Amino acid sequence: MAFIITSPCKTEKAGECVEVCPVDCIEEGEDMFYIDPDICIDCGACEAVCPVEAIFIEDEVPESEYQYIEINRKFFEDR
């Protein structure tokens, strides 16, 4: 199970998560970052450094942010 980046990233897009990811699974999209679930090792390093608390383990994504699970999936599916 991977981590999901949610809506606060859209207004911040800080990038600390990319810098700390040990497996380079975070990719930059047009308006936010996305975590590749096939590469993510669930280490949580990204979640710990996110300045806007936009990153959640998939099972803990707030209900109001569920759409970002699908948005993340679609980002990698369309590649």
Side-chain angles (χ1 to χ4, degrees):
M1 180 170 323
F3 282 80
I4 302 292
I5 299 177
T6 60
S7 67
C9 183
K10 292 182 93 166
T11 58
E12 181 65 29
K13 201 176 178 188
E16 286 92 332
C17 56
V18 177
E19 296 170 16
V20 301
C21 181
V23 294
D24 296 324
C25 71
I26 302 172
E27 293 189 29
E28 186 172 0
E30 188 175 314
D31 57 355
M32 63 182 287
F33 290 99
Y34 299 89
I35 298 174
D36 188 333
D38 293 330
I39 300 173
C40 180
I41 59 170
D42 301 330
C43 70
C46 59
E47 181 183 31
V49 300
C50 182
V52 292
E53 299 179 358
I55 303 173
F56 297 88
I57 191 86
E58 187 173 345
D59 280 353
E60 297 177 7
V61 172
E63 192 172 328
S64 62
E65 299 285 322
Y66 278 178
Q67 65 185 347
Y68 286 89
I69 297 171
E70 180 64 20
I71 289 168
N72 189 79
R73 185 191 61 75
K74 191 155 179 47
F75 178 81
F76 290 102
E77 188 177 86
D78 292 345
R79 304 191 125 236

